[in-house]
Amino acid sequence: IEKKRSDLESVVVRKFCADNEVTFTEFADIFNTFLKDIEIPYNEDIYYTEAVLATRRNRFMESRSILWKYGDRFRYYDIDGQDYTELFETLNLNSYHNVELSTAKFVIEYPDLMDKYDIRDGYELHNLLKKVLETDCYGKYEKIKFSKMPNIRFGTPDRDSDLFDIMVENAPISRDDLFELIHKEFGYEIK
């Protein structure tokens, strides 16, 4: 391993973040501690400093060796080391039209598939799908837009109209039952 920050980051993320997710701030501390433990002399071109944290964070968000989540949390995940054919065949993303869904819906509906791919929540699935669909060839998905995590827009949805329709179709309905129904239909968090 060369004494380059990017090469050392790859080792540290694989060694310390494979089983547990961490925040980027926690990772910066883990990274600097690791360098000290293996007795790499301080060098601002290698160690994390305040001056490079934002840049490194942005690079990590785009990395194909991590799954990024809400709250600046992430964990190691070998995106390029897997075949996603079964994932895309099962999710059948081209079957959705003019709707916005939370990826939590897929996590709930396909728990065995998520276990197979070690996807732990909708945020991880959103990040994985975004990274894979941006660069890999798993079908043509022109009408998919990745909106605020963990939502995906298929075509040109009208979220307000969709929510209004579900309310009208099920009226009279209590607020809690409506929230549960919306969660089941679109995957949005009940809160």
Side-chain angles (χ1 to χ4, degrees), residues 10-11 67 74 87 93-94 101 105 115 124-125 136 144 158 168 171 185:
S10 297
V11 171
L67 291 178
F74 66 90
L87 179 71
L93 299 176
N94 278 329
L101 301 174
K105 177 178 176 64
D115 284 344
E124 288 188 356
L125 181 59
D136 300 345
I144 293 177
D158 183 344
V168 169
E185 184 73 23

Side-chain angles (χ1 to χ4, degrees), residues 13-24:
V13 77
R14 193 175 321 117
K15 181 173 176 63
F16 295 102
C17 307
D19 295 323
N20 301 311
E21 61 186 53
V22 297
T23 65
F24 186 75

Side-chain angles (χ1 to χ4, degrees), residues 29-42:
D29 291 338
I30 292 168
F31 182 79
N32 285 343
T33 299
F34 176 77
L35 296 183
K36 289 175 192 170
D37 289 349
I38 63 171
E39 299 178 356
I40 292 180
Y42 180 79

